[in-house]
Amino acid sequence: MSLFEEIGRPRVMGIVNVTPDSFSDGGRFLATDDAVAHGRGLLADGADILDIGGESTRPGATRPLVGEELARVVPVISELAAAGAVVSVDTMRAEVAEAAVKAGAQIVNDVSGGLADPRILEVTADTGAVFVAMHWRAHGSQMQSKEYLEYAGGVVPRVSEELRSRVDAALAAGIPEDRIVLDPGLGFSKTADQNWELVARIGEIAAIGYPVLVGASRKAFLGRLLAAPDGTPRTAGEREFAHAAVNVLLAQRGAWCTRVHDVRAARDALAVVEKIGGRR
Ligand code: PMM
């Protein structure tokens, strides 16, 4: 089945973080075997795509060396792609994208939309992979600083404009129009309110004319929404019911894909939308 054929619900992308330091599951799947077993579990739960990443993008994270990133992701991609999974590689590096596609990945998910390492666009074009361009302004160490949280004229128009310029760069590098996906980048240089506005108005991002992927799973804006009366945010593992509601909204507003840690919970929520034909 084509990746973009309408199936009555957003596709579910299960997250396999092969990192020591991702915010909600860092260190759990650092060994190849653990990561592969986790990926197989996500497939059994109904994941349509597995997103395999070797660099944590959480605020304040330091970057791994390219060799480290390759050693983390390539063996995991090879095994899961050989097992029949549709694999996406979560990387900002051309070298990693290239090795990942050789190992069987069909999607290059670049949280920087080609800004961190512009050569990734040509590599993706040459390999024929799908390119996910996420809205991004700076690496994890700086992304939540004040200057990167400013959206003169409003977050939705500015994110749309900045995504359009990433589309132009992808097209100029030779990535075909039907292999581009856009992502508003929830939590990346965004305040909680800016994230909510993007969720509420995701249809405007879709109106740019490309399939839309959204990653809300376990992010801090959900924890803030569900904070205790004293302001303590709800912990990452206890944000799933709110995330299910976000997934229903995304489905109703036409998102192509939701990037999630808990595939079963996402599929359950989306089964309701599918059942009542609520996508349109
Ligand atoms: N978020 C994270 C990592 N990769 N990729 C895309 N396309 N969209 C996202 O929102 C996104 C991403 C950070 O979350 P994680 O640390 O839980 O993987």
Side-chain angles (χ1 to χ4, degrees), residues 17-31:
N17 280 327
V18 197
T19 59
D21 55 350
S22 285
F23 74 94
S24 73
D25 53 5
R28 286 184 59 200
F29 311 115
L30 192 53

Side-chain angles (χ1 to χ4, degrees), residues 44 49 59 75-76 96 100 149 165 169 174 261 275:
I49 301 166
V76 178
V96 177
L149 297 174
S165 84
H261 298 87
K275 182 67 185 171

Side-chain angles (χ1 to χ4, degrees), residues 15 17 22-23 57 90 109 111 132 134 183 186 188 213 215 219 259 261:
I15 302 170
N17 280 327
S22 285
F23 74 94
T57 49
D90 188 338
N109 171 27
V111 298
V132 179
M134 198 192 80
D183 182 330
L186 301 182
F188 289 80
L213 188 157
K219 286 188 177 167
R259 182 179 178 278
H261 298 87

Side-chain angles (χ1 to χ4, degrees), residues 35-194:
V36 169
H38 182 58
R40 286 184 189 276
L42 296 178
L43 290 173
D45 285 344
D48 301 293
I49 301 166
L50 295 179
D51 189 38
I52 299 168
E55 170 174 358
S56 168
T57 49
R58 76 183 158 76
T62 49
R63 304 198 68 192
L65 299 172
V66 63
E68 264 172 330
E69 191 182 341
L70 284 165
R72 287 176 189 172
V73 298
V74 171
V76 178
I77 291 170
S78 298
E79 258 195 72
L80 289 169
V86 175
V87 170
S88 157
V89 61
D90 188 338
T91 187
M92 291 184 257
R93 288 176 163 136
E95 204 174 327
V96 177
E98 194 164 25
V101 176
K102 275 204 190 110
Q106 298 177 41
I107 302 172
V108 173
N109 171 27
D110 179 354
V111 298
S112 82
L115 286 171
D117 179 359
R119 212 171 56 82
I120 201 169
L121 299 173
E122 281 127 60
V123 163
T124 305
D126 289 347
T127 58
V130 166
F131 187 67
V132 179
M134 198 192 80
H135 178 263
W136 181 92
R137 286 179 160 182
H139 284 289
S141 53
Q142 308 145 46
M143 71 181 182
Q144 292 303 104
S145 67
K146 202 165 167 275
E147 62 188 296
Y148 295 118
L149 297 174
E150 267 163 35
Y151 292 88
V155 70
V156 176
R158 285 307 298 271
V159 166
S160 302
E161 191 184 311
E162 290 172 33
L163 282 175
R164 270 191 221 100
S165 84
R166 300 325 302 151
V167 168
D168 291 345
L171 292 172
I175 300 176
E177 216 166 22
D178 62 0
R179 301 217 173 142
I180 295 174
V181 170
L182 298 180
D183 182 330
L186 301 182
F188 289 80
S189 300
K190 317 280 179 332
T191 64
D193 284 346
Q194 288 165 345

